[in-house]
Amino acid sequence: MTQRYFYRLFETIHKKISYTFSIVAFSLAGGWFGAVYAFFFGSATIPMFSLQTHYLIVLCFVFATLLVTILHSVQYGLLAPIGISGIEAHITRINKTLNPTHSIRRNSSEELDVILSDLIRLPLHNMISAFCYGSFVLLSCVIPYLLFDYNLKELLYIFLGWLAAVFVYCGFSYIITDYITGPKRVMLKKVLLSRSYSSNFPSGFLGLKGKFGFLLSLVLLSLTILAVYVGLRPDSYLEIAFFIGLTFFAATTLIILYFQSISTTLEQIGKSANDLAAGGPGKLPLVSIDREFLGFAKDFAKATGEIGRIREHLQSLVEEKTSELRETLRTVEELKQQQDGDYFLTSLLIKPLGINKTTGRKAKVDFLIKQKKNFVFKGKESEIGGDICIAQEILLRGKEYTVFLNADAMGKSLQGAGGVLVLGAAFHSILQRTLTNENTYSLYAEKWIKNAFTELHKLFQGFDGSMLVSMVLGVLDEEAGILYYINAEHPWSVLYRDGKASFLEESLQYRKLGTPGMEGSLSVKIFRLQPADILVIGSDGRDDLEIPTRSGEKTMNEDESLFMKIVESSEGNLQTILSNLESRGRITDDLSLLRIEYDPGKSLNKTKAGKGVHNLSKKAREFLRNKNIPEAILTIEEALNLSPENQILKRDLIRLHYRNGNYQEACSLMDSYVEENPGDTDIIYTASFCFKKIGNFNRSLELAERIQLRNPGIPANLAHIADLNLKLGRSEKASNYAKLSLELDPENENASEILKRLNGNP
């Protein structure tokens, strides 16, 4: 807006009087601004200064300033309306050529080149004229000091004030002239370039650094004069306010013009670069005459010339290269066809591995797989990647279990698919062996999942770290709702229960399958699912989202809880989860989701205790407080006759028999209880010790190893296992477990005693 009003006023003066006078009309504002600087500085520093005491000085100063204004205006074409276009030849040429009624198209290229050179030199010429006129004003003020009885020491302050004034006058004249002549210089350059006229455009006297230095000096000078004035004449409020307002207006105007000139130049550079990129000549007639920009313009002209020469020979080069590209493209298409064939064959091999063989009677399992690599082979669309989901029902010890696997093999496309092929084939081999091998069929769930994980890990260790797989492997007891699982550096599983989602895991359990150096005790996590619980497991594609920001940039998702929130808002539905993920950002990796909904069809709490059972339980507790354990046992047995399926009563009866030393009866009850309640780790632990007391060491060891798989860091259980192995004649195993127990608890007496016995010490 400032630029528009500025040029509107300038054009009005140009049309009414002359082009160069319109320039001087603005630069003279700097002269009067400098005069104000000088007056303020002199009135503040000269002692006893007033119009009465120094009226001759002020009169000469004002008269000389008015005379300079007239002379400067006449020099630059004030009298053009009456035929005097200027005193100097170059000013006269400029005014005649740039007259609004004259068309520059009529001038020859040589004439326009001369006018352009005149315009480029005009800012320096105007600045020199300003310095000369300013010097005239100084001499006009010195004469009264020499002719009349004034203190000659005051001439020092007069000279300092003159320096400030002439500095402002010259700087204003240069910057204003440079800015105003810019559009005309551009117009002349465009005409000369259109005529292919070669001209060397010289740079101006002041560059960007010089102009910036002047503006900075102007601000500092204004502050200095203001500080001097305020310090010496603090009560002149109106004069101080006037000086501040004038300084602010002048400095702001010059700063706006300075940055507007830079902005216009940069816009010209951008337009020329775009024109060059679009196939145009990319000519750059800069508005600026600053040496910094002109240096860039020369380099830009060299570049455009080189590009022009390249374009001239580009057609033949294109034809030559096109034939080469056609041949290369044909080769690439053949290779791509072969690659897509490999992809298609691999996808056919993977497809029967990632299957869901569950009936969904009590655990409904669903898959969703979206591989990153899509391809078309012979008109058939398919996809390939490193994600896989497998689910199947198996029998272990006569109980129905649902086995599930969600895995992500390292690498993209064929590399990931190779990992999936190995994993899928090996895991199906394990499942088939479970269905046909009696030894495998008789395993507990903890032991089965440990063996499966160990076998898969050893298989991938053979690749020496070049093929790693993250996965969640789980076994669900359909009757009891107990979930046994291992997470090998896979994203945490999400439990959706009662409308709320939460992570099932809390920390990293194991590194990926095939990770070198992954040793130590294996732990199988257990979790009891409730009816209507939904478990959602997914690969890291669920978190690898490229999310757009408000600024338009894209960033990778770093919120690990985002998927959990999406599961909650999607109510555990896989298709809705996928849609919500895609609405949040772009999925950048293979994505596989596995969903398990537990629906046993009836409440796991099979019976409710009646009033009679409640009274008998209360009575048994009374006997127990009186340490009458036999009567407490008889009372609990009576209560069990009323409620045979009450698991709490069975648990209490087991504990009472154990405390009373009835180990045979306790073991008999424990066998059935443990099968019905596999999640009761405490009773399994107690049962192991109970079977040890009746001499059934194999059964005791079997139960102790289940505890070891669930909680591998219990020193007492490790010592217990060591003792059982010793009793069964397995000295090496007994020694290993005893040492492991002592590592965790150096003061464990049982482990120490076992090692002494193994070493032959009494």
Side-chain angles (χ1 to χ4, degrees), residues 625-639:
R625 274 194 296 269
N626 296 326
K627 297 184 179 180
N628 190 349
I629 296 177
E631 288 297 329
I633 290 173
L634 292 174
T635 306
I636 292 296
E637 288 176 343
E638 185 180 351

Side-chain angles (χ1 to χ4, degrees), residues 336-338 340-341 344 375-382:
K336 186 178 184 306
Q337 186 74 5
Q338 294 175 9
D340 288 345
F344 186 70
F375 64 92
V376 178
F377 180 71
K378 294 185 177 180
K380 296 181 179 179
E381 295 184 4
S382 188

Side-chain angles (χ1 to χ4, degrees), residues 329-347:
L329 181 60
R330 186 185 63 80
T331 304
V332 169
E333 287 177 344
E334 289 178 356
L335 292 174
K336 186 178 184 306
Q337 186 74 5
Q338 294 175 9
Q339 184 187 60
D340 288 345
D342 294 339
Y343 285 164
F344 186 70
L345 177 59
T346 306
S347 67

Side-chain angles (χ1 to χ4, degrees), residues 53 56 81 203 266 367 392-393 491 499 533-534 588 631 656 703 751:
T53 59
L56 285 175
S203 61
L266 293 176
F367 298 164
Q392 185 170 323
E393 293 170 347
D533 277 355
I534 295 175
T588 62
E631 288 297 329
L656 288 172
L703 295 170

Side-chain angles (χ1 to χ4, degrees), residues 33 36 40 225-226 229-230 233-250:
F33 182 51
V36 172
F40 267 77
I225 293 175
L226 179 62
Y229 196 83
V230 172
R233 302 186 64 179
D235 298 329
S236 304
Y237 301 114
L238 291 177
E239 291 87 343
I240 292 172
F242 172 75
F243 181 77
I244 292 173
L246 183 63
T247 301
F248 179 79
F249 173 78

